[in-house]
Amino acid sequence: MIKAPAWLQLLSRSAAALLGGYALSYAASACLARILPLSAADAVIVATLPAFIFYTVAMLWAFACRDALRAWAPLALAVPLALIGFWPQVMERLT
């Protein structure tokens, strides 16, 4: 297997931490706001609070994992969370 230069791995991990972490925290907040049994305003406020934890964990994960490819795992996790969180808006636009 070809090893990428160190600067490219660092760039990939940094992009994964910034973009993947943001996508994960945004999708997790949307998912939590959708599934919490509260009023809409309260659900958004309560769902936004753990987003800081999700973002921090995703950034730590990007630099703690073994290779740069695994650093992109939070972005892969964000896709199903985003589908749950934004499904009503998607269906509304399609109909």
Side-chain angles (χ1 to χ4, degrees), residues 9-10 12-22 24-25 52-78:
Q9 289 183 9
L10 185 62
S12 177
R13 288 175 188 263
S14 298
L18 292 173
L19 301 175
Y22 182 78
L24 176 68
S25 62
F52 298 108
I53 297 168
F54 294 140
Y55 191 63
T56 304
V57 168
M59 291 191 104
L60 291 172
W61 170 262
F63 290 101
C65 61
R66 230 176 253 223
D67 56 1
L69 186 60
R70 289 186 187 150
W72 289 92
L75 189 61
L77 181 62

